[in-house]
């Protein structure tokens, strides 16, 4: 494919000079430029098709020619096709321009007018809103100059694939300056090439129809880019499907789709608008938004009836919702490549939505590979990104296995940065990755794993704390030992405090309206602040005193002779009791001795054999947990950590080399001191 079309990137951005001169903010450039870019794209395609049909069938009978043209289903413009008037010709006469321009945009077919936003009412849905933008430019007295500048950009010599490439570069620039692109990551051409080459390594060159889907297609650069490159490699008929929520990007994708043999682009929220129901696709590619919350349609997702979502990720990042949608619509022998950021690998603890989603993917054995991309690869983010390769028909030798490929060092520096994109993968880098994926063997930057390697047990336990002698309080199979104190002493902010009443019925009715209010405002928080370890608490009963020895971590019982009961808690509680037939309302203060229990968990490697897994857990606990404990729930989690797997420790210098470097520095310092003394 010729790269000559990229010379027009500069031409497109020259049109922004007029916007600058008119005082239009840079962040608003996309709004003013998108409609005219779409207009130039449409006109170039129509004129290109008109020329092709004229060469094949002639144009002597105009009505027959027009009928043939309309049958192509590409859209239509009476000014351009019947009369041969283009943007360039109507700009040749500035006196008739106003009439001709509006006649020109109104001469499009209804669907094109709808997408371009021709003569839209204020209450109607707008996509590109060319009439509104033209009106604003006319008020600033730059409409004619703007249209003239755009009319000089001739895209008719270029094919669909080449125009898609130019569109990618232009939209990337718009993304850099727009404030409305949170989470949108435009996929650069080298990554589209890599995704296509991965797909090409897995499909056959036959006559079978191939459906390609992108549920977050934006302007469809990734979707159409993959289609174009597949068609260059294979002689297979294709149909593309795309969904997009952003109005203007949808309009650009929809306009583009009309110039392709078989393409369907829909407008709406992929996650809430059920476009495809039972439809399955052979290939799914996507670069979904990440780091973007989904709270605006939380209820719709929670009430979804399609069974797409086995679990829900954090409300702050919905990218795993898209992945579940993708796999729901991926054919049983289908292949998908999805771009994600690093959080999808490890965010969320065992039992969380993210971990359960990963577990679902692994249990179904859909993950064939995960590839780490270099940083600074995408236009408006510098972070690490990852290609997840899902395959619902993995070959037998790859069952329950996946390969992790660290492509973070496979890049070359761009001569000129494009936004935050400073690096690219050249054909050799991409070939290394595809060859590694195809061979499915360990090498210097790739490792093959059993999928179980990424599972883990999160075993919850209830620990019983013990004193310095390894003892805990003996409750004789009871939950607690009740005490009957006559007095409690403790400290609050280093001030001595005492409690001698344990059933309270009276209160200061000048300060409080009820006993309940006194309890809520005074006594309940006061009792809650008593800490058996830190408050120097002593519980005095008839003939015996109990306190906690913080040094020995044990409860002391003193009945004239001190006895260590073992580690435990002295629990002081206050409760409000409503009046009954036999008792007045009152506040009861109680004291009891309990075991000192602490909930904890251990992360333990997982084994798919249940018996072996339990044995491994028991062996781990015997080795690492020294206090008495009881097993609680065990939750299975799944996470991946590229940094841990591919970590390369920094090589430290030897002591001899460090000593020599210090000696050299000392010599340099002495020489400098000598020079300063002079």
């Amino acid at each position: 494919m010729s790269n000559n079309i990229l010379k027009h990137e500069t031409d497109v951005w020259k049109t922004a000079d007029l916007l600058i001169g008119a005082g239009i903010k840079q962040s608003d450039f996309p709004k003013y430029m998108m409609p005219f870019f779409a207009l130039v794209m449409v006109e170039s395609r129509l004129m290109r098709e008109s020329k092709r049909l004229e060469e094949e069938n002639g144009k002597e009978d105009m009505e027959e020619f027009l009928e043939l043209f309309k049958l192509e289903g590409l859209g239509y413009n009476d000014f351009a096709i019947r009369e041969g008037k283009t943007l360039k010709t109507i700009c040749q006469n500035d006196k008739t321009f106003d009439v001709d321009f509006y006649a020109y945009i109104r001469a499009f077919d209804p669907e094109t007018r709808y997408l371009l936003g021709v003569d839209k009412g204020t209450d109607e849905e707008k996509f590109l809103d060319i009439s509104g933008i033209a009106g604003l430019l006319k008020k600033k007295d730059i409409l004619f100059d703007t249209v003239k500048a755009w009319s000089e950009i001739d895209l008719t010599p270029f094919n669909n694939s080449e125009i898609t490439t130019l569109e990618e570069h232009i939209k990337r620039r718009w993304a850099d300056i727009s404030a409305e692109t949170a989470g949108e990551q435009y996929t650069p051409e080298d990554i589209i090439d890599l995704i296509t080459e991965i797909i090409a390594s897995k499909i056959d060159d036959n006559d079978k129809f191939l459906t390609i889907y992108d549920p977050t297609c934006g302007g469809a650069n990734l979707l159409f880019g993959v289609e174009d490159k597949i068609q260059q490699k294979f002689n297979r008929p294709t149909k593309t499907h795309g969904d997009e929520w952003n109005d203007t990007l949808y309009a650009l994708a929809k306009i583009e789709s009309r110039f392709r043999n078989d393409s369907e682009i829909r407008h709406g929220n992929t996650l809430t608008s059920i476009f495809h129901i039972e439809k399955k696709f052979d290939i799914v590619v996507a670069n979904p938004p990440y780091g973007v919350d989904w709270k605006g349609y939380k209820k719709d997702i929670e009430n979804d009836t399609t069974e797409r979502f086995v679990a829900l990720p954090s409300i702050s990042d919905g990218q795993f919702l898209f992945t579940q949608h993708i796999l729901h619509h991926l054919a049983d022998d289908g292949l998908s490549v999805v771009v994600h950021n690093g959080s999808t690998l490890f965010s969320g603890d065992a039992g969380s939505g993210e971990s359960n989603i990963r577990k679902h993917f692994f249990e179904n054995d859909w993950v064939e590979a995960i590839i780490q991309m270099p940083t600074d690869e995408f236009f408006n983010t510098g972070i690490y990104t990852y290609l997840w390769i899902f395959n619902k028909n993995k070959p037998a030798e790859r069952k329950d296995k996946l390969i992790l490929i660290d492509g973070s060092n496979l890049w070359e520096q761009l001569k000129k940065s494009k936004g935050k994109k400073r690096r690219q993968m050249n054909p050799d880098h991409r070939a290394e990755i595809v060859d590694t994926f195809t061979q499915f063997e360990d090498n210097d930057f790739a490792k093959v794993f059993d999928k179980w390697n990424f599972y883990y047990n999160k075993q919850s336990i209830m620990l019983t704390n013990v004193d310095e002698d390894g003892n805990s309080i003996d409750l004789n199979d009871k939950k607690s030992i009740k005490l009957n104190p006559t007095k409690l002493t403790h400290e609050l902010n280093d001030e001595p405090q005492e409690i001698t009443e344990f059933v309270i019925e009276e209160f200061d009715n000048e300060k409080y309206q009820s006993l309940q209010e006194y309890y809520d405002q005074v006594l309940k928080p006061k009792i809650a602040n008593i800490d058996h370890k830190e408050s120097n608490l002593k519980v005095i009963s008839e003939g015996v005193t109990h306190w906690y020895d913080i040094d020995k971590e044990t409860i002391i019982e003193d009945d004239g002779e001190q006895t260590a009961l073992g580690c435990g808690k002295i629990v002081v509680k206050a409760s409000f009791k409503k009046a009954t037939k036999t008792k007045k309302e009152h506040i009861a203060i109680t004291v009891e001795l309990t075991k000192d229990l602490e909930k904890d968990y251990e992360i333990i490697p997982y084994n798919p054999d249940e018996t072996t897994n339990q044995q491994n857990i028991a062996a781990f606990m015997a080795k690492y947990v020294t206090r008495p404990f009881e097993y609680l729930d065990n939750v299975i989690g799944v996470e991946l950590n590229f940094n841990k797997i591919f970590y390369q420790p920094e090589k430290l210098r030897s002591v001899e080399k460090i000593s020599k470097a210090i000696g050299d520095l000392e010599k340099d310092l002495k020489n400098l001191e000598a020079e300063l003394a002079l």
Side-chain angles (χ1 to χ4, degrees), residues 221-240:
N221 300 103
L222 174 58
L223 176 64
F224 294 145
V226 168
E227 180 186 41
D228 289 340
K229 295 173 195 305
I230 284 177
Q231 289 182 340
Q232 290 168 18
K233 292 175 180 287
F234 301 106
N235 186 28
R236 293 187 66 167
T238 58
K239 179 172 183 177
T240 50

Side-chain angles (χ1 to χ4, degrees), residues 3 7 47 67 116 120 124 166 236 240 321 376 428 489 492 526 542 590 665:
N3 281 325
K7 69 183 181 184
M47 300 311 295
E67 186 177 346
L116 289 173
K120 290 282 187 179
E124 292 183 83
L166 174 64
R236 293 187 66 167
T240 50
L321 292 175
D376 303 323
D428 291 338
T489 64
L492 181 64
K526 178 181 179 181
E542 290 290 342
T590 60
L665 287 173

Side-chain angles (χ1 to χ4, degrees), residues 158-177:
F158 303 102
N159 62 30
N160 287 344
S161 180
E162 291 168 325
I163 292 176
T164 298
T165 299
L166 174 64
E167 188 179 350
E168 172 206 319
H169 285 257
I170 299 303
K171 286 193 292 189
R172 182 268 304 173
R173 295 277 295 272
W174 284 335
D176 288 344
I177 64 175

Side-chain angles (χ1 to χ4, degrees), residues 109-330:
D109 61 282
E111 185 178 15
T112 304
R113 290 201 304 272
Y114 178 65
L115 293 169
L116 289 173
V118 177
D119 293 337
K120 290 282 187 179
T122 54
D123 295 330
E124 292 183 83
E125 186 175 36
K126 290 183 176 68
F127 289 111
L128 291 170
D129 193 23
I130 195 164
S131 293
I133 295 300
L136 293 173
L137 294 175
K138 187 171 177 60
K139 285 180 182 178
K140 293 181 177 289
D141 200 28
I142 60 169
L143 176 60
F144 173 76
D145 291 333
T146 298
V147 176
K148 191 172 188 304
W150 281 101
S151 73
E152 298 296 328
I153 301 171
D154 181 13
L155 302 182
T156 54
F158 303 102
N159 62 30
N160 287 344
S161 180
E162 291 168 325
I163 292 176
T164 298
T165 299
L166 174 64
E167 188 179 350
E168 172 206 319
H169 285 257
I170 299 303
K171 286 193 292 189
R172 182 268 304 173
R173 295 277 295 272
W174 284 335
D176 288 344
I177 64 175
S178 174
E180 300 177 356
T181 56
E184 295 176 6
Q185 313 300 339
Y186 291 86
T187 314
E189 189 172 8
D190 57 319
I191 301 300
I192 295 175
D193 284 334
L194 176 59
I195 290 172
T196 308
E197 288 156 7
I198 289 168
I199 294 168
S201 74
K202 302 291 289 185
I203 61 176
D204 297 323
D205 191 3
N206 54 34
D207 296 331
K208 186 180 176 183
F209 194 74
L210 196 66
T211 54
I212 309 172
Y213 173 49
D214 184 346
T216 57
C217 71
N221 300 103
L222 174 58
L223 176 64
F224 294 145
V226 168
E227 180 186 41
D228 289 340
K229 295 173 195 305
I230 284 177
Q231 289 182 340
Q232 290 168 18
K233 292 175 180 287
F234 301 106
N235 186 28
R236 293 187 66 167
T238 58
K239 179 172 183 177
T240 50
H241 300 259
D243 308 333
E244 179 52 39
W245 197 4
N246 180 288
D247 290 354
T248 52
L249 293 179
Y250 159 75
L252 290 173
K254 183 66 175 178
I255 289 169
E256 171 79 17
S257 73
R258 298 174 71 191
F259 297 94
R260 292 178 172 268
N261 290 333
D262 201 352
S263 184
E264 181 181 14
I265 305 294
R266 294 179 180 269
H267 178 248
N269 185 336
T270 299
L271 300 176
T272 59
S273 303
I274 304 172
F275 292 131
H276 307 290
I277 307 185
E278 298 301 322
K279 193 172 287 184
K280 302 291 183 180
F281 302 99
D282 302 313
I283 301 293
V284 184
V285 294
N287 185 1
Y290 34 83
V292 178
D293 69 60
W294 49 280
K295 60 186 175 185
Y297 41 96
K298 182 173 181 284
K299 286 185 179 179
D300 294 316
I301 297 295
E302 291 174 340
N303 296 326
D304 182 79
T305 59
T306 64
E307 300 181 351
R308 290 175 292 174
F309 308 119
V310 297
L312 302 180
S314 165
I315 196 73
S316 63
D317 189 353
Q319 58 185 311
F320 254 167
L321 292 175
F322 290 104
T323 317
Q324 292 179 86
H325 168 86
I326 285 166
L327 289 166
H328 179 77
H329 287 293
L330 186 63

